Amino acid sequence: MDVNLIFKIAAIGIVVAVLNRVLNQSGREEMAMMTTLAGVVVVLMMIINLISNLFDSVRTMFHL
Amino acid sequence: MLLKGIGGLLVISASGILGILHSNKLSLRYKELVNLRRVMQMLETEVTYGATPLPVALYSVSKKTEGPVSRFLANVSEHLSKRSFYTLKEAWNDSAERLLMESSLIKADIEFIKSFGNILGCSDREDQKKHFQLFYIQLRHQEDSAMEEVKRSAEMYRSLGFLLGMAVFVVLA
């Protein structure tokens, strides 16, 4: 859980946005959609651990 | 930190150069199709106006031009002179398979060239001329589709190379 993760997610967001634009511009719209989805999946995989920890701590706080 | 930077630079430049190479292959295909037209026009002149026999005509045309098509014609001429094959069609197809695979022409272009070998040298001068004209018309279609593909995809492949390199770098470091 460091600040670098946020920078990584931001950089992936920028790259996916530019990729989306380039692919839409040259007509391959279905490939643009696929890369957007891939970007979302990659980011999700990066933070899935943290989300799981978050839910655990919420659960323990609730039951207390 | 420095190592990470150098590694990232290597990944991005490698991926970018791959994209540029792919993009250049497309534009090279178009240039080779234009070259093919020029070479075929010279061959037509030799065959229909000079009435030179095929091995000599192919050899002289290949001497005057350069590129993969020129080497292909030189190879066919050599096969014909040495009588390595029974028919022109076999020599033509064999040379096409071996030499044109190295060029930037796609499979459809090579099949198109091979189909021209079927009628070369099989009829009289007027008929050959008509076949050449038909070949040019079909070649124009291939040239147009190649040009269109270049316009559509060349810029895209270049950007794609660099962007995917950056994505890999960001995810891995």
Short mmCIF file of all heavy atoms in Angstrom, two decimals, chain A residues 19, chain B residues 11-20 155-167:
data_model
loop_
_atom_site.label_atom_id
_atom_site.label_comp_id
_atom_site.label_asym_id
_atom_site.label_seq_id
_atom_site.Cartn_x
_atom_site.Cartn_y
_atom_site.Cartn_z
N LEU A 19 -4.66 4.76 -26.22
CA LEU A 19 -4.87 3.58 -27.08
C LEU A 19 -6.27 3.59 -27.64
O LEU A 19 -6.49 3.31 -28.83
CB LEU A 19 -4.66 2.30 -26.26
CG LEU A 19 -3.35 1.56 -26.46
CD1 LEU A 19 -3.28 0.40 -25.49
CD2 LEU A 19 -3.23 1.06 -27.86
N VAL B 11 12.51 -1.80 -23.17
CA VAL B 11 11.22 -2.41 -23.51
C VAL B 11 10.43 -1.50 -24.45
O VAL B 11 9.90 -1.93 -25.48
CB VAL B 11 10.41 -2.70 -22.23
CG1 VAL B 11 8.96 -2.96 -22.56
CG2 VAL B 11 10.99 -3.89 -21.51
N ILE B 12 10.39 -0.20 -24.10
CA ILE B 12 9.59 0.72 -24.92
C ILE B 12 10.18 0.84 -26.32
O ILE B 12 9.45 0.81 -27.33
CB ILE B 12 9.51 2.10 -24.25
CG1 ILE B 12 8.69 2.01 -22.98
CG2 ILE B 12 8.89 3.11 -25.18
CD1 ILE B 12 8.55 3.33 -22.27
N SER B 13 11.52 0.96 -26.41
CA SER B 13 12.11 1.13 -27.74
C SER B 13 11.96 -0.15 -28.56
O SER B 13 11.71 -0.09 -29.77
CB SER B 13 13.57 1.55 -27.64
OG SER B 13 14.29 0.61 -26.89
N ALA B 14 12.09 -1.32 -27.90
CA ALA B 14 11.94 -2.58 -28.65
C ALA B 14 10.53 -2.69 -29.23
O ALA B 14 10.34 -2.97 -30.42
CB ALA B 14 12.24 -3.77 -27.75
N SER B 15 9.55 -2.43 -28.37
CA SER B 15 8.17 -2.53 -28.83
C SER B 15 7.87 -1.48 -29.89
O SER B 15 7.18 -1.74 -30.88
CB SER B 15 7.25 -2.37 -27.62
OG SER B 15 5.94 -2.40 -28.00
N GLY B 16 8.43 -0.27 -29.71
CA GLY B 16 8.19 0.79 -30.70
C GLY B 16 8.80 0.45 -32.05
O GLY B 16 8.19 0.66 -33.09
N ILE B 17 10.03 -0.11 -32.01
CA ILE B 17 10.68 -0.46 -33.27
C ILE B 17 9.92 -1.58 -33.97
O ILE B 17 9.79 -1.58 -35.20
CB ILE B 17 12.15 -0.84 -33.02
CG1 ILE B 17 12.94 0.40 -32.66
CG2 ILE B 17 12.76 -1.48 -34.24
CD1 ILE B 17 14.39 0.14 -32.38
N LEU B 18 9.37 -2.52 -33.17
CA LEU B 18 8.55 -3.58 -33.77
C LEU B 18 7.36 -2.98 -34.51
O LEU B 18 7.05 -3.37 -35.64
CB LEU B 18 8.03 -4.51 -32.67
CG LEU B 18 8.75 -5.83 -32.49
CD1 LEU B 18 8.13 -6.58 -31.33
CD2 LEU B 18 8.67 -6.66 -33.74
N GLY B 19 6.72 -2.00 -33.88
CA GLY B 19 5.58 -1.34 -34.52
C GLY B 19 6.00 -0.64 -35.80
O GLY B 19 5.31 -0.73 -36.82
N ILE B 20 7.14 0.05 -35.77
CA ILE B 20 7.60 0.77 -36.96
C ILE B 20 7.93 -0.21 -38.08
O ILE B 20 7.61 0.02 -39.25
CB ILE B 20 8.82 1.65 -36.61
CG1 ILE B 20 8.39 2.78 -35.70
CG2 ILE B 20 9.48 2.18 -37.85
CD1 ILE B 20 9.51 3.73 -35.37
N GLU B 155 -0.05 4.47 -39.54
CA GLU B 155 0.10 5.33 -38.35
C GLU B 155 -0.29 4.56 -37.10
O GLU B 155 0.32 4.69 -36.04
CB GLU B 155 -0.78 6.56 -38.54
CG GLU B 155 -0.59 7.62 -37.50
CD GLU B 155 0.80 8.20 -37.53
OE1 GLU B 155 1.32 8.41 -38.64
OE2 GLU B 155 1.38 8.39 -36.45
N MET B 156 -1.36 3.74 -37.25
CA MET B 156 -1.85 3.00 -36.10
C MET B 156 -0.82 2.04 -35.55
O MET B 156 -0.63 1.97 -34.33
CB MET B 156 -3.10 2.22 -36.51
CG MET B 156 -3.77 1.50 -35.38
SD MET B 156 -5.03 0.42 -35.94
CE MET B 156 -4.07 -1.00 -36.35
N TYR B 157 -0.12 1.29 -36.44
CA TYR B 157 0.85 0.33 -35.95
C TYR B 157 2.00 1.02 -35.23
O TYR B 157 2.51 0.52 -34.23
CB TYR B 157 1.39 -0.53 -37.10
CG TYR B 157 0.46 -1.64 -37.49
CD1 TYR B 157 0.05 -1.81 -38.81
CD2 TYR B 157 -0.01 -2.53 -36.54
CE1 TYR B 157 -0.79 -2.82 -39.16
CE2 TYR B 157 -0.86 -3.55 -36.90
CZ TYR B 157 -1.25 -3.70 -38.21
OH TYR B 157 -2.09 -4.71 -38.57
N ARG B 158 2.39 2.19 -35.75
CA ARG B 158 3.49 2.90 -35.09
C ARG B 158 3.09 3.28 -33.66
O ARG B 158 3.81 3.03 -32.70
CB ARG B 158 3.86 4.14 -35.88
CG ARG B 158 4.82 3.87 -37.01
CD ARG B 158 5.50 5.14 -37.41
NE ARG B 158 4.59 6.00 -38.15
CZ ARG B 158 4.56 6.05 -39.48
NH1 ARG B 158 5.39 5.33 -40.18
NH2 ARG B 158 3.71 6.83 -40.08
N SER B 159 1.92 3.94 -33.54
CA SER B 159 1.50 4.35 -32.19
C SER B 159 1.29 3.14 -31.29
O SER B 159 1.67 3.16 -30.12
CB SER B 159 0.18 5.11 -32.28
OG SER B 159 0.16 5.94 -33.38
N LEU B 160 0.70 2.09 -31.86
CA LEU B 160 0.42 0.89 -31.07
C LEU B 160 1.68 0.32 -30.46
O LEU B 160 1.70 -0.08 -29.30
CB LEU B 160 -0.24 -0.15 -31.98
CG LEU B 160 -1.40 -0.93 -31.39
CD1 LEU B 160 -2.49 0.02 -30.99
CD2 LEU B 160 -1.90 -1.90 -32.41
N GLY B 161 2.76 0.29 -31.25
CA GLY B 161 4.02 -0.25 -30.76
C GLY B 161 4.48 0.47 -29.50
O GLY B 161 4.73 -0.14 -28.45
N PHE B 162 4.55 1.81 -29.59
CA PHE B 162 5.04 2.58 -28.45
C PHE B 162 4.10 2.48 -27.25
O PHE B 162 4.54 2.35 -26.10
CB PHE B 162 5.21 4.04 -28.84
CG PHE B 162 6.50 4.30 -29.54
CD1 PHE B 162 6.52 4.59 -30.88
CD2 PHE B 162 7.70 4.21 -28.86
CE1 PHE B 162 7.70 4.79 -31.54
CE2 PHE B 162 8.89 4.41 -29.51
CZ PHE B 162 8.90 4.71 -30.86
N LEU B 163 2.78 2.55 -27.51
CA LEU B 163 1.84 2.53 -26.40
C LEU B 163 1.87 1.20 -25.66
O LEU B 163 1.82 1.16 -24.42
CB LEU B 163 0.43 2.81 -26.91
CG LEU B 163 0.21 4.26 -27.27
CD1 LEU B 163 -1.13 4.43 -27.95
CD2 LEU B 163 0.27 5.11 -26.03
N LEU B 164 1.94 0.09 -26.41
CA LEU B 164 1.98 -1.20 -25.73
C LEU B 164 3.28 -1.36 -24.95
O LEU B 164 3.29 -1.92 -23.85
CB LEU B 164 1.83 -2.33 -26.76
CG LEU B 164 0.40 -2.49 -27.26
CD1 LEU B 164 0.32 -3.59 -28.29
CD2 LEU B 164 -0.51 -2.81 -26.09
N GLY B 165 4.38 -0.83 -25.50
CA GLY B 165 5.64 -0.85 -24.75
C GLY B 165 5.48 -0.11 -23.43
O GLY B 165 5.91 -0.57 -22.36
N MET B 166 4.86 1.09 -23.50
CA MET B 166 4.67 1.85 -22.27
C MET B 166 3.77 1.12 -21.30
O MET B 166 4.02 1.13 -20.08
CB MET B 166 4.06 3.21 -22.61
CG MET B 166 5.11 4.23 -23.01
SD MET B 166 4.51 5.88 -22.83
CE MET B 166 3.44 5.99 -24.26
N ALA B 167 2.72 0.48 -21.80
CA ALA B 167 1.81 -0.25 -20.90
C ALA B 167 2.55 -1.36 -20.19
O ALA B 167 2.40 -1.54 -18.97
CB ALA B 167 0.64 -0.81 -21.71
#
